[in-house]
Amino acid sequence: MPTMKEIAAPLSHDRPRHDLRRELRRRRRALTLEQRREATERLCRNLRQLPEIRRARRVALYLPNDGEIDPTPLITWFRRRHARVYLPVLRPLSLNALWFVHYHADTPMVTNRFGIAEPMTRHGAHRARRLPAWALDLILLPLVGFDDHGQRIGMGGGFYDRTLAFTRRPGPRPRLFGLAHDCQRVERLPIAPWDVPLDAIVSDKRVIRPTKKADGR
């Protein structure tokens, strides 16, 4: 079993983003099933203590893939608190954008082109079954890497950045929490102009709340 010290050896922050992305994905895939299970338990415990999580009534989260930390144990907890849970769906006929579709036990599921389970597109096409991103209270999104300043990198497809670009403008918006294994932490990440800022980053070991930016976030 690889130790967390071996998995989380320091990374040079001046490496190109694609190199960082490849190494951080390798790190999370190197975790054993037991390490992932323990990380999931600690992550969910950290999340349940946060006031934004406890207040949320319309929550989007993701089904884990490629070693991503798993938020799905929270689904039952959210439903007990009468919160509605939504999943991201690749939006048809669009350039790397997402829908958020209500998810329950009877939701018909398919596997998308990335091998990730999601509600069937035809099911989600009905407006009554999905919610615009601005109307959600909270979105829990996966990360490939993060730093102590609240910077993050994703898989590189830009799906969340394009879908959530509106959060840079005034108006209603959800809280955005990025989730990751703590071994995906880097001393400092390079910033890209299209990166949508997060309100918090939560791992199995810490909660990071970025300092407010010049735009008041």
Side-chain angles (χ1 to χ4, degrees):
M1 175 187 295
T3 67
M4 293 308 297
K5 184 176 182 180
E6 291 170 338
I7 293 172
L11 279 178
S12 173
H13 63 273
D14 57 357
R15 294 168 64 171
R17 283 168 69 100
H18 64 272
D19 283 354
L20 283 170
R21 188 176 288 116
R22 181 171 57 250
E23 172 59 21
L24 290 167
R25 290 176 66 191
R26 186 200 64 79
R27 283 187 175 190
R28 70 187 185 191
R29 288 195 299 263
L31 295 170
T32 66
L33 289 176
E34 180 64 17
Q35 288 170 330
R36 293 180 191 185
R37 184 190 64 78
E38 292 175 355
T40 288
E41 291 179 358
R42 291 192 296 265
L43 171 81
C44 292
R45 185 163 59 246
N46 289 344
L47 286 167
R48 288 194 298 265
Q49 295 173 357
L50 300 179
E52 297 93 336
I53 296 283
R54 302 180 71 85
R55 289 195 302 262
R57 292 297 174 263
R58 295 161 296 186
V59 182
L61 50 76
Y62 61 92
L63 303 183
N65 180 61
D66 191 48
E68 293 167 343
I69 201 163
D70 185 1
T72 58
L74 288 174
I75 292 175
T76 300
W77 183 81
F78 278 127
R79 287 174 177 163
R80 285 201 303 264
R81 298 175 68 85
H82 307 291
R84 288 170 65 91
V85 174
Y86 294 78
L87 291 180
V89 173
L90 301 182
R91 183 175 174 177
L93 305 176
S94 69
L95 179 62
N96 293 13
L98 300 170
W99 280 340
F100 294 99
V101 177
H102 182 218
Y103 175 67
H104 51 79
D106 298 324
T107 301
M109 304 291 288
V110 296
T111 300
N112 66 26
R113 66 179 184 269
F114 299 111
I116 303 171
E118 66 178 22
M120 187 180 296
T121 303
R122 186 163 52 185
H123 174 84
H126 292 269
R127 291 184 179 275
R129 295 176 181 146
R130 54 188 166 92
L131 205 61
W134 63 262
L136 291 162
D137 298 319
L138 175 71
I139 298 177
L140 304 178
L141 57 148
L143 304 179
V144 170
F146 69 96
D147 65 22
D148 288 342
H149 304 276
Q151 302 301 327
R152 53 93 183 181
I153 56 173
M155 288 290 286
F159 287 90
Y160 282 99
D161 287 316
R162 288 184 177 87
T163 303
L164 302 174
F166 73 92
T167 61
R168 295 179 178 277
R169 304 186 296 271
R173 60 178 296 276
R175 294 286 183 177
L176 306 178
F177 284 14
L179 310 183
H181 293 282
D182 205 72
C183 65
Q184 296 169 241
R185 176 171 165 253
V186 177
E187 181 181 352
R188 192 171 187 102
L189 283 171
I191 302 172
W194 56 81
D195 289 339
V196 171
L198 303 180
D199 297 289
I201 294 172
V202 185
S203 78
D204 48 302
K205 292 187 178 179
R206 70 194 76 225
V207 177
I208 298 171
R209 292 187 180 273
T211 55
K212 290 185 179 295
K213 307 293 191 294
D215 60 3
R217 293 262 330 269

